[in-house]
Amino acid sequence: MKQEVPIRLVLVGSPGSGKGTQGKLIEKKYGIPHLAAGDILRQEVARGSELGRQAKVVMDRGELLADAIITSVIEARLEESDCRRGWILDGFPRTIGQAKALERWLAQRGENLTAVVAFELPDAEILKRLMGRLTSSVTKRVDDDPAVHQKRIDIYRRETAPIFGFYEGKKLLVKIDATGTVDEVSRRIVAAVKT
Ligand code: AP5
């Protein structure tokens, strides 16, 4: 389905909550690019760029890159021509600083977010999914490390969860029950976003 009105979605949720899985489905459904911050950084790591070298150290520790670095990477990507009809941001913003930077970037262009989709999933299920990805030869990622899973979840609670309140105040937050099958979660997102 091609969209006439640009859709600009943000997917927020803990590591392993299914943002990447759902982002790819939304990309297909609406024909707009799925921009996953982690994927962009892993591509830089694979290319061996200076950004990739910096990112690898931080990602291996399960920590977050500095706001200024990731913000400039994402803004540059959003300025590419395929983003004119909309986009799905996955894994950005991840801090209040990043959320404010995105707000300024949108305001400069007279644009708005359509919605911020918050994935809600109990910690036990999060860890189960992350372990499942780790043990699958299809989905396993280079930065998947059980030793840092809990740290990434803790950083998510401390640094990222506060952006829920930020977007709630702007009436953009849509909370999604992220339990159940991939199809069930996908249907909930489509119904909640109601484009
Ligand atoms: P990033 O790649 O963004 O990782 P993440 O947010 O921690 O999330 P994940 O990709 O681990 O999980 P997901 O929610 O996409 O779940 P998935 O669909 O894979 O970031 C990696 C690192 O980059 C960060 O730690 C940080 O260092 C750095 N970084 C990135 N963005 C940054 C930023 N903005 N600022 C600073 N640093 C940044 O699903 C997980 C598994 O579950 C899969 O195996 C999947 O098949 C399975 N699954 C999905 N849905 C279901 C379902 N409904 N039922 C059963 N299984 C399911």
Side-chain angles (χ1 to χ4, degrees):
M1 185 201 301
K2 297 278 184 228
Q3 280 303 126
E4 295 307 320
V5 178
I7 299 178
R8 301 186 191 93
L9 292 179
V10 167
L11 310 185
V12 192
S14 116
S17 58
K19 305 179 297 296
T21 303
Q22 296 298 330
K24 289 184 193 92
L25 294 176
I26 302 169
E27 176 179 66
K28 269 199 203 130
K29 182 169 176 63
Y30 296 115
I32 52 175
H34 165 226
L35 313 177
D39 288 351
I40 293 171
L41 294 174
R42 280 184 288 278
Q43 281 160 17
E44 292 297 323
V45 174
R47 280 180 46 211
S49 66
E50 178 51 33
L51 169 63
R53 277 194 289 277
Q54 287 178 36
K56 184 172 185 333
V57 175
V58 178
M59 291 165 85
D60 284 350
R61 287 194 206 125
E63 294 171 358
L64 297 181
L65 267 84
D67 283 354
I69 296 176
I70 190 71
T71 297
S72 69
V73 170
I74 297 295
E75 289 182 355
R77 181 65 187 88
L78 289 174
E79 278 156 23
E80 290 182 27
S81 58
D82 63 331
C83 291
R84 282 194 205 121
R85 288 186 311 103
W87 34 259
I88 308 138
L89 270 178
D90 159 5
F92 182 94
R94 246 179 162 103
T95 65
I96 292 279
Q98 293 175 20
K100 287 184 176 166
L102 178 62
E103 188 175 48
R104 282 193 297 275
W105 187 90
L106 287 162
Q108 282 161 8
R109 286 156 184 79
E111 295 173 354
N112 294 303
L113 289 176
T114 306
V116 175
V117 180
F119 288 57
E120 297 195 309
L121 196 68
D123 278 8
E125 182 65 20
I126 290 168
L127 287 166
K128 200 168 121 194
R129 288 190 189 177
L130 287 172
M131 287 309 289
R133 190 172 67 193
L134 186 73
T135 50
S136 157
S137 57
V138 181
T139 53
K140 185 179 185 320
R141 282 186 348 203
V142 284
D143 61 333
D144 266 332
D145 177 355
V148 295
H149 282 165
Q150 190 57 51
K151 184 170 176 188
R152 285 170 58 198
I153 294 170
D154 292 345
I155 290 179
Y156 166 77
R157 301 262 180 253
R158 197 174 67 233
E159 304 284 339
T160 307
I163 74 174
F164 283 31
F166 178 85
Y167 285 121
E168 211 153 26
K170 295 176 189 302
K171 310 246 180 295
L172 284 169
L173 195 75
V174 178
K175 291 185 182 169
I176 295 290
D177 172 5
T179 60
T181 66
V182 170
D183 283 350
E184 284 166 348
V185 178
S186 174
R187 280 196 291 274
R188 286 181 205 130
I189 294 173
V190 171
V193 170
K194 286 194 209 90
T195 55

